[in-house]
Amino acid sequence: MQATNIGLDLQSIAINKQSEQLELSRNGQVDERFKNAVEHLGHEKEPIILGGIVELHQIAKEDKDKYAAVVFNILTSFVRSNLKVKNKVDENFSPTIAQTIIDFLFKNEGLILYADLKANLSFCNLLSLDLSNSKFIKADFSFSLIPSEISNVDFSNSKFGKTEFTISKIKNTTFKGSDFHECFFNLCEFDDVDFSDSEMKVQKFISSKFYNVKFENSNLYEIDFILCHFDDLFLDKSVVLHSKFFGSNFINSFFTNSELTNVDFLASGFSLTFFNSDCFNCNFSGVRSKYDSEFIELEDIKNNIGLNTDKDVIKVLEKNLFEKCIWDNLKNQDYLEIEKEFNLAEENWKKKYELPKIKELD
């Protein structure tokens, strides 16, 4: 029996050593696969690059604890390197490659595999990509160009600094808890979008449309809405400071339980819009019934010069407070101020998009 036990012990030790050797061998094989996959990213042929991306994703699935974060950072870095905003798009770099990475990291099983990892997608030209049906939690999109069509996207707690949204259609999307700073929205359309718990500073929205948009527990500072259209706007428990709603439309909208200080509603139109907030030093000069068109033009504003301000177009609830607010008729100098703000924003936008084209020709 003693001899048998000794034999069993020796056999057990041998099996453990064999298992350790197999594990070391397996780890060595995985490490070799990982090394080869990373090298494939630098290849000139698209199929080989795609194969490297697929292999890295597979390795992350097999050993999440060891490889998921590493693979995530490598692939997002690869996107940043090849889709730089300031560089001319490389004709040899197919958008299929970047799209594959987006699909693996931010859709389907990637939402679990790479959960809680923060993506750095700053300084990226993402215009050629489809970001719809994705989740970018706590991502950084600073200085990036956003695609023209987005739907069913979760941008919660993300960062947007000097990000460009131009001629974008954004639908069924949330920006809850996100931070916006000096972003530019030109000719955009928002449909069922949630900006709740967000921080917005020094933003410009030009000729944009908002349908069923929510700002709840949000802070808006120095935000310019120029010739914008709002239908079913819900602004609740928010703070709005030093902001402008120049020549904008408000239909079926609510300003409730909020603080509005130094907010300018110059020449704006209202229909079934309710105020139940504290308004301090706000300018309601030239307010009128809503404009007929959702696309408001400077000529529409100009036609209101000298007309009586219609206070009754705003539905005031019991708790609303207007303190030191202005209700004058629209003057020519008011129109000139709106025209100046609009033209300046348009000029700055054109300069931004014309300069790169000139450089490319050179």
Side-chain angles (χ1 to χ4, degrees), residues 178-207:
S178 291
D179 186 6
F180 293 83
H181 184 71
E182 292 190 53
C183 296
F184 192 87
F185 299 82
N186 188 33
L187 293 168
C188 294
E189 184 175 308
F190 302 86
D191 188 354
D192 193 15
V193 176
D194 192 349
F195 289 102
S196 295
D197 303 307
S198 62
E199 296 282 335
M200 283 193 172
K201 297 177 182 177
V202 197
Q203 308 287 118
K204 286 191 181 294
F205 295 85
I206 311 298
S207 298

mmCIF file of all heavy atoms in Angstrom, residues 178-207:
data_model
loop_
_atom_site.group_PDB
_atom_site.id
_atom_site.type_symbol
_atom_site.label_atom_id
_atom_site.label_comp_id
_atom_site.label_asym_id
_atom_site.label_seq_id
_atom_site.Cartn_x
_atom_site.Cartn_y
_atom_site.Cartn_z
ATOM 1 N N SER A 178 -22.962 63.817 -20.432
ATOM 2 C CA SER A 178 -21.810 64.151 -21.267
ATOM 3 C C SER A 178 -21.384 65.601 -21.087
ATOM 4 O O SER A 178 -22.134 66.443 -20.612
ATOM 5 C CB SER A 178 -22.124 63.872 -22.745
ATOM 6 O OG SER A 178 -22.244 62.483 -22.968
ATOM 7 N N ASP A 179 -20.151 65.861 -21.498
ATOM 8 C CA ASP A 179 -19.549 67.186 -21.356
ATOM 9 C C ASP A 179 -19.278 67.758 -22.742
ATOM 10 O O ASP A 179 -18.528 67.159 -23.530
ATOM 11 C CB ASP A 179 -18.246 67.071 -20.559
ATOM 12 C CG ASP A 179 -17.635 68.422 -20.235
ATOM 13 O OD1 ASP A 179 -18.275 69.437 -20.528
ATOM 14 O OD2 ASP A 179 -16.515 68.460 -19.699
ATOM 15 N N PHE A 180 -19.899 68.904 -23.044
ATOM 16 C CA PHE A 180 -19.714 69.566 -24.332
ATOM 17 C C PHE A 180 -19.012 70.902 -24.115
ATOM 18 O O PHE A 180 -19.417 71.699 -23.273
ATOM 19 C CB PHE A 180 -21.065 69.840 -25.006
ATOM 20 C CG PHE A 180 -21.815 68.609 -25.429
ATOM 21 C CD1 PHE A 180 -22.597 67.915 -24.520
ATOM 22 C CD2 PHE A 180 -21.753 68.153 -26.733
ATOM 23 C CE1 PHE A 180 -23.301 66.784 -24.897
ATOM 24 C CE2 PHE A 180 -22.452 67.019 -27.128
ATOM 25 C CZ PHE A 180 -23.227 66.338 -26.209
ATOM 26 N N HIS A 181 -17.984 71.156 -24.921
ATOM 27 C CA HIS A 181 -17.270 72.435 -24.805
ATOM 28 C C HIS A 181 -16.849 72.907 -26.204
ATOM 29 O O HIS A 181 -16.123 72.211 -26.916
ATOM 30 C CB HIS A 181 -16.037 72.293 -23.917
ATOM 31 C CG HIS A 181 -15.315 73.582 -23.689
ATOM 32 N ND1 HIS A 181 -15.830 74.599 -22.910
ATOM 33 C CD2 HIS A 181 -14.122 74.046 -24.145
ATOM 34 C CE1 HIS A 181 -14.975 75.616 -22.895
ATOM 35 N NE2 HIS A 181 -13.941 75.306 -23.653
ATOM 36 N N GLU A 182 -17.354 74.075 -26.580
ATOM 37 C CA GLU A 182 -17.019 74.704 -27.854
ATOM 38 C C GLU A 182 -17.272 73.793 -29.049
ATOM 39 O O GLU A 182 -16.471 73.724 -29.990
ATOM 40 C CB GLU A 182 -15.563 75.182 -27.866
ATOM 41 C CG GLU A 182 -15.301 76.336 -26.909
ATOM 42 C CD GLU A 182 -13.920 76.952 -27.102
ATOM 43 O OE1 GLU A 182 -13.584 77.328 -28.236
ATOM 44 O OE2 GLU A 182 -13.187 77.031 -26.105
ATOM 45 N N CYS A 183 -18.395 73.097 -29.032
ATOM 46 C CA CYS A 183 -18.778 72.284 -30.190
ATOM 47 C C CYS A 183 -19.610 73.135 -31.154
ATOM 48 O O CYS A 183 -20.188 74.149 -30.776
ATOM 49 C CB CYS A 183 -19.586 71.067 -29.754
ATOM 50 S SG CYS A 183 -18.662 69.925 -28.716
ATOM 51 N N PHE A 184 -19.664 72.690 -32.405
ATOM 52 C CA PHE A 184 -20.399 73.441 -33.422
ATOM 53 C C PHE A 184 -21.395 72.517 -34.114
ATOM 54 O O PHE A 184 -21.021 71.476 -34.645
ATOM 55 C CB PHE A 184 -19.420 74.019 -34.452
ATOM 56 C CG PHE A 184 -20.039 75.041 -35.357
ATOM 57 C CD1 PHE A 184 -20.080 76.367 -34.994
ATOM 58 C CD2 PHE A 184 -20.592 74.667 -36.574
ATOM 59 C CE1 PHE A 184 -20.653 77.313 -35.833
ATOM 60 C CE2 PHE A 184 -21.171 75.603 -37.413
ATOM 61 C CZ PHE A 184 -21.198 76.927 -37.047
ATOM 62 N N PHE A 185 -22.682 72.896 -34.061
ATOM 63 C CA PHE A 185 -23.748 72.122 -34.689
ATOM 64 C C PHE A 185 -24.373 72.984 -35.786
ATOM 65 O O PHE A 185 -25.024 73.994 -35.492
ATOM 66 C CB PHE A 185 -24.828 71.753 -33.671
ATOM 67 C CG PHE A 185 -24.338 70.902 -32.527
ATOM 68 C CD1 PHE A 185 -23.698 71.478 -31.438
ATOM 69 C CD2 PHE A 185 -24.526 69.529 -32.538
ATOM 70 C CE1 PHE A 185 -23.261 70.704 -30.370
ATOM 71 C CE2 PHE A 185 -24.098 68.746 -31.474
ATOM 72 C CZ PHE A 185 -23.459 69.331 -30.399
ATOM 73 N N ASN A 186 -24.177 72.621 -37.036
ATOM 74 C CA ASN A 186 -24.708 73.407 -38.145
ATOM 75 C C ASN A 186 -25.659 72.554 -38.984
ATOM 76 O O ASN A 186 -25.307 71.468 -39.429
ATOM 77 C CB ASN A 186 -23.557 73.916 -39.019
ATOM 78 C CG ASN A 186 -24.037 74.899 -40.073
ATOM 79 O OD1 ASN A 186 -24.967 75.651 -39.848
ATOM 80 N ND2 ASN A 186 -23.394 74.883 -41.226
ATOM 81 N N LEU A 187 -26.899 73.072 -39.165
ATOM 82 C CA LEU A 187 -27.893 72.373 -39.985
ATOM 83 C C LEU A 187 -28.113 70.937 -39.507
ATOM 84 O O LEU A 187 -28.209 69.999 -40.298
ATOM 85 C CB LEU A 187 -27.468 72.365 -41.455
ATOM 86 C CG LEU A 187 -27.461 73.728 -42.156
ATOM 87 C CD1 LEU A 187 -26.745 73.626 -43.496
ATOM 88 C CD2 LEU A 187 -28.870 74.260 -42.350
ATOM 89 N N CYS A 188 -28.188 70.769 -38.196
ATOM 90 C CA CYS A 188 -28.389 69.440 -37.618
ATOM 91 C C CYS A 188 -29.862 69.201 -37.309
ATOM 92 O O CYS A 188 -30.645 70.140 -37.153
ATOM 93 C CB CYS A 188 -27.559 69.279 -36.343
ATOM 94 S SG CYS A 188 -25.786 69.286 -36.627
ATOM 95 N N GLU A 189 -30.216 67.938 -37.209
ATOM 96 C CA GLU A 189 -31.586 67.563 -36.835
ATOM 97 C C GLU A 189 -31.525 66.534 -35.719
ATOM 98 O O GLU A 189 -30.892 65.489 -35.861
ATOM 99 C CB GLU A 189 -32.323 66.998 -38.045
ATOM 100 C CG GLU A 189 -33.780 66.662 -37.769
ATOM 101 C CD GLU A 189 -34.508 66.219 -39.029
ATOM 102 O OE1 GLU A 189 -34.443 66.946 -40.045
ATOM 103 O OE2 GLU A 189 -35.143 65.138 -38.988
ATOM 104 N N PHE A 190 -32.182 66.851 -34.599
ATOM 105 C CA PHE A 190 -32.197 65.971 -33.437
ATOM 106 C C PHE A 190 -33.614 65.441 -33.239
ATOM 107 O O PHE A 190 -34.562 66.225 -33.151
ATOM 108 C CB PHE A 190 -31.766 66.724 -32.178
ATOM 109 C CG PHE A 190 -30.399 67.357 -32.266
ATOM 110 C CD1 PHE A 190 -30.234 68.624 -32.803
ATOM 111 C CD2 PHE A 190 -29.279 66.681 -31.809
ATOM 112 C CE1 PHE A 190 -28.980 69.210 -32.896
ATOM 113 C CE2 PHE A 190 -28.022 67.254 -31.883
ATOM 114 C CZ PHE A 190 -27.871 68.524 -32.435
ATOM 115 N N ASP A 191 -33.757 64.139 -33.164
ATOM 116 C CA ASP A 191 -35.075 63.528 -33.001
ATOM 117 C C ASP A 191 -34.994 62.485 -31.881
ATOM 118 O O ASP A 191 -34.275 61.491 -31.996
ATOM 119 C CB ASP A 191 -35.505 62.867 -34.316
ATOM 120 C CG ASP A 191 -36.944 62.380 -34.275
ATOM 121 O OD1 ASP A 191 -37.580 62.443 -33.195
ATOM 122 O OD2 ASP A 191 -37.443 61.929 -35.317
ATOM 123 N N ASP A 192 -35.724 62.745 -30.793
ATOM 124 C CA ASP A 192 -35.718 61.857 -29.631
ATOM 125 C C ASP A 192 -34.303 61.716 -29.073
ATOM 126 O O ASP A 192 -33.716 60.624 -29.055
ATOM 127 C CB ASP A 192 -36.284 60.485 -29.997
ATOM 128 C CG ASP A 192 -36.594 59.639 -28.762
ATOM 129 O OD1 ASP A 192 -36.638 60.200 -27.658
ATOM 130 O OD2 ASP A 192 -36.778 58.410 -28.917
ATOM 131 N N VAL A 193 -33.769 62.848 -28.617
ATOM 132 C CA VAL A 193 -32.396 62.907 -28.103
ATOM 133 C C VAL A 193 -32.418 63.414 -26.663
ATOM 134 O O VAL A 193 -33.147 64.347 -26.334
ATOM 135 C CB VAL A 193 -31.512 63.821 -28.978
ATOM 136 C CG1 VAL A 193 -30.115 63.950 -28.389
ATOM 137 C CG2 VAL A 193 -31.432 63.256 -30.390
ATOM 138 N N ASP A 194 -31.598 62.798 -25.813
ATOM 139 C CA ASP A 194 -31.573 63.128 -24.384
ATOM 140 C C ASP A 194 -30.221 63.742 -24.014
ATOM 141 O O ASP A 194 -29.183 63.098 -24.113
ATOM 142 C CB ASP A 194 -31.809 61.858 -23.562
ATOM 143 C CG ASP A 194 -32.097 62.154 -22.095
ATOM 144 O OD1 ASP A 194 -31.906 63.313 -21.679
ATOM 145 O OD2 ASP A 194 -32.510 61.223 -21.375
ATOM 146 N N PHE A 195 -30.267 65.028 -23.603
ATOM 147 C CA PHE A 195 -29.067 65.727 -23.131
ATOM 148 C C PHE A 195 -29.095 65.892 -21.603
ATOM 149 O O PHE A 195 -28.422 66.769 -21.071
ATOM 150 C CB PHE A 195 -28.975 67.119 -23.765
ATOM 151 C CG PHE A 195 -28.640 67.130 -25.232
ATOM 152 C CD1 PHE A 195 -29.626 67.344 -26.185
ATOM 153 C CD2 PHE A 195 -27.339 66.934 -25.665
ATOM 154 C CE1 PHE A 195 -29.325 67.369 -27.538
ATOM 155 C CE2 PHE A 195 -27.019 66.963 -27.009
ATOM 156 C CZ PHE A 195 -28.017 67.180 -27.953
ATOM 157 N N SER A 196 -29.859 65.102 -20.909
ATOM 158 C CA SER A 196 -30.004 65.254 -19.462
ATOM 159 C C SER A 196 -28.670 65.057 -18.742
ATOM 160 O O SER A 196 -27.799 64.304 -19.196
ATOM 161 C CB SER A 196 -31.027 64.251 -18.920
ATOM 162 O OG SER A 196 -32.308 64.524 -19.433
ATOM 163 N N ASP A 197 -28.532 65.770 -17.604
ATOM 164 C CA ASP A 197 -27.335 65.678 -16.752
ATOM 165 C C ASP A 197 -26.051 66.077 -17.490
ATOM 166 O O ASP A 197 -24.947 65.726 -17.066
ATOM 167 C CB ASP A 197 -27.166 64.260 -16.190
ATOM 168 C CG ASP A 197 -28.383 63.796 -15.414
ATOM 169 O OD1 ASP A 197 -28.805 64.531 -14.507
ATOM 170 O OD2 ASP A 197 -28.920 62.721 -15.714
ATOM 171 N N SER A 198 -26.192 66.798 -18.588
ATOM 172 C CA SER A 198 -25.017 67.179 -19.369
ATOM 173 C C SER A 198 -24.530 68.577 -18.982
ATOM 174 O O SER A 198 -25.259 69.375 -18.397
ATOM 175 C CB SER A 198 -25.325 67.144 -20.867
ATOM 176 O OG SER A 198 -26.336 68.076 -21.188
ATOM 177 N N GLU A 199 -23.267 68.835 -19.309
ATOM 178 C CA GLU A 199 -22.654 70.150 -19.111
ATOM 179 C C GLU A 199 -22.327 70.712 -20.485
ATOM 180 O O GLU A 199 -21.571 70.110 -21.256
ATOM 181 C CB GLU A 199 -21.378 70.030 -18.282
ATOM 182 C CG GLU A 199 -21.587 69.540 -16.853
ATOM 183 C CD GLU A 199 -22.111 70.630 -15.925
ATOM 184 O OE1 GLU A 199 -21.862 71.812 -16.220
ATOM 185 O OE2 GLU A 199 -22.749 70.293 -14.912
ATOM 186 N N MET A 200 -22.905 71.876 -20.790
ATOM 187 C CA MET A 200 -22.654 72.508 -22.087
ATOM 188 C C MET A 200 -22.081 73.899 -21.880
ATOM 189 O O MET A 200 -22.670 74.723 -21.173
ATOM 190 C CB MET A 200 -23.943 72.617 -22.903
ATOM 191 C CG MET A 200 -24.405 71.337 -23.542
ATOM 192 S SD MET A 200 -25.687 71.646 -24.779
ATOM 193 C CE MET A 200 -25.840 70.024 -25.508
ATOM 194 N N LYS A 201 -20.946 74.159 -22.520
ATOM 195 C CA LYS A 201 -20.304 75.464 -22.401
ATOM 196 C C LYS A 201 -19.851 75.943 -23.776
ATOM 197 O O LYS A 201 -19.199 75.209 -24.514
ATOM 198 C CB LYS A 201 -19.098 75.394 -21.458
ATOM 199 C CG LYS A 201 -19.451 75.017 -20.026
ATOM 200 C CD LYS A 201 -18.206 74.900 -19.148
ATOM 201 C CE LYS A 201 -18.577 74.481 -17.736
ATOM 202 N NZ LYS A 201 -17.371 74.286 -16.884
ATOM 203 N N VAL A 202 -20.239 77.176 -24.093
ATOM 204 C CA VAL A 202 -19.800 77.844 -25.323
ATOM 205 C C VAL A 202 -20.092 76.965 -26.548
ATOM 206 O O VAL A 202 -19.191 76.520 -27.259
ATOM 207 C CB VAL A 202 -18.294 78.200 -25.268
ATOM 208 C CG1 VAL A 202 -17.954 79.238 -26.341
ATOM 209 C CG2 VAL A 202 -17.900 78.735 -23.904
ATOM 210 N N GLN A 203 -21.367 76.733 -26.784
ATOM 211 C CA GLN A 203 -21.799 75.922 -27.917
ATOM 212 C C GLN A 203 -22.511 76.801 -28.947
ATOM 213 O O GLN A 203 -23.097 77.829 -28.599
ATOM 214 C CB GLN A 203 -22.779 74.843 -27.477
ATOM 215 C CG GLN A 203 -22.326 73.989 -26.338
ATOM 216 C CD GLN A 203 -21.252 73.036 -26.747
ATOM 217 O OE1 GLN A 203 -20.154 73.092 -26.250
ATOM 218 N NE2 GLN A 203 -21.538 72.167 -27.683
ATOM 219 N N LYS A 204 -22.531 76.362 -30.203
ATOM 220 C CA LYS A 204 -23.294 77.043 -31.238
ATOM 221 C C LYS A 204 -24.144 76.032 -31.987
ATOM 222 O O LYS A 204 -23.635 75.027 -32.487
ATOM 223 C CB LYS A 204 -22.372 77.772 -32.216
ATOM 224 C CG LYS A 204 -21.762 79.046 -31.649
ATOM 225 C CD LYS A 204 -21.068 79.877 -32.718
ATOM 226 C CE LYS A 204 -20.455 81.137 -32.120
ATOM 227 N NZ LYS A 204 -21.475 82.068 -31.620
ATOM 228 N N PHE A 205 -25.452 76.308 -32.034
ATOM 229 C CA PHE A 205 -26.390 75.530 -32.831
ATOM 230 C C PHE A 205 -26.962 76.479 -33.884
ATOM 231 O O PHE A 205 -27.657 77.444 -33.550
ATOM 232 C CB PHE A 205 -27.528 74.979 -31.967
ATOM 233 C CG PHE A 205 -27.100 73.975 -30.938
ATOM 234 C CD1 PHE A 205 -26.626 74.382 -29.699
ATOM 235 C CD2 PHE A 205 -27.183 72.610 -31.199
ATOM 236 C CE1 PHE A 205 -26.245 73.466 -28.736
ATOM 237 C CE2 PHE A 205 -26.805 71.679 -30.238
ATOM 238 C CZ PHE A 205 -26.332 72.108 -29.011
ATOM 239 N N ILE A 206 -26.690 76.231 -35.162
ATOM 240 C CA ILE A 206 -27.116 77.115 -36.231
ATOM 241 C C ILE A 206 -28.119 76.385 -37.128
ATOM 242 O O ILE A 206 -27.849 75.277 -37.606
ATOM 243 C CB ILE A 206 -25.914 77.585 -37.085
ATOM 244 C CG1 ILE A 206 -24.791 78.093 -36.188
ATOM 245 C CG2 ILE A 206 -26.342 78.650 -38.082
ATOM 246 C CD1 ILE A 206 -25.139 79.278 -35.343
ATOM 247 N N SER A 207 -29.286 77.015 -37.326
ATOM 248 C CA SER A 207 -30.318 76.477 -38.226
ATOM 249 C C SER A 207 -30.556 74.990 -37.984
ATOM 250 O O SER A 207 -30.642 74.191 -38.920
ATOM 251 C CB SER A 207 -29.919 76.709 -39.693
ATOM 252 O OG SER A 207 -29.817 78.084 -39.970
#
